[in-house]
Structure formats: structure tokens, C-alpha cells
């Protein structure tokens, strides 16, 4: 299995899409901090993976639907 990286995808992405993603990830990280404070770092760590996993999952679902 080969992995391909296309730099053209970076040029097609708009600046505000990066800003939205940055904001969304920051909000999730802050919420994760509150969860970790209340329930402990083990539970908080599970939620900290969400910003990394969600975009990849959403992309795969979108490709599957099309």
C-alpha cells in the first residue's frame, strides 16, 4: 500500500477553514481540561484524542458517501 501526499490540496484549502479548525480544536482542548480536572487525567486523555481523530473519521465518511 502506497501513501500519497498531494500539496495541491493545501492550496485549495481556504484560510478560514484552517481558522475554524484551530478554533474548534482549541475549544475541545479546553473542554478536555475541564473534564480531566473533574474526572481525572485518564478520562481527560480519552477526550484529548478527539480533535485528531474526528477530522480523519469525517473525511473517511465523506469519501465513503460519495
Amino acid at each position: 500500500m502506497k501513501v500519497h501526499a498531494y500539496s495541491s490540496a493545501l492550496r485549495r484549502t481556504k484560510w478560514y477553514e484552517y481558522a475554524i479548525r484551530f478554533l474548534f480544536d482549541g475549544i475541545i482542548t479546553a473542554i478536555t481540561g475541564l473534564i480531566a480536572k473533574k474526572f481525572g487525567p485518564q478520562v481527560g486523555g480519552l477526550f484529548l484524542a478527539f480533535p485528531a481523530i474526528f477530522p480523519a473519521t469525517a473525511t473517511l465518511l465523506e469519501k465513503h458517501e460519495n
Side-chain angles (χ1 to χ4, degrees), residues 2-64:
K2 284 188 167 183
V3 176
H4 298 280
Y6 298 103
S7 61
S8 62
L10 293 174
R11 289 188 292 266
R12 287 190 312 238
T13 306
K14 307 287 188 264
W15 69 268
Y16 59 84
E17 292 173 334
Y18 288 115
I20 290 170
R21 219 168 167 186
F22 183 78
L23 180 67
F24 177 72
D25 291 348
I27 291 169
I28 293 295
T29 302
I31 292 170
T32 298
L34 296 172
I35 291 171
K37 194 170 191 172
K38 182 166 177 86
F39 298 105
Q42 292 84 8
V43 176
L46 293 173
F47 288 94
L48 196 54
F50 181 77
I53 294 170
F54 178 73
T57 304
T59 302
L60 289 174
L61 288 174
E62 181 183 0
K63 286 183 181 180
H64 180 70

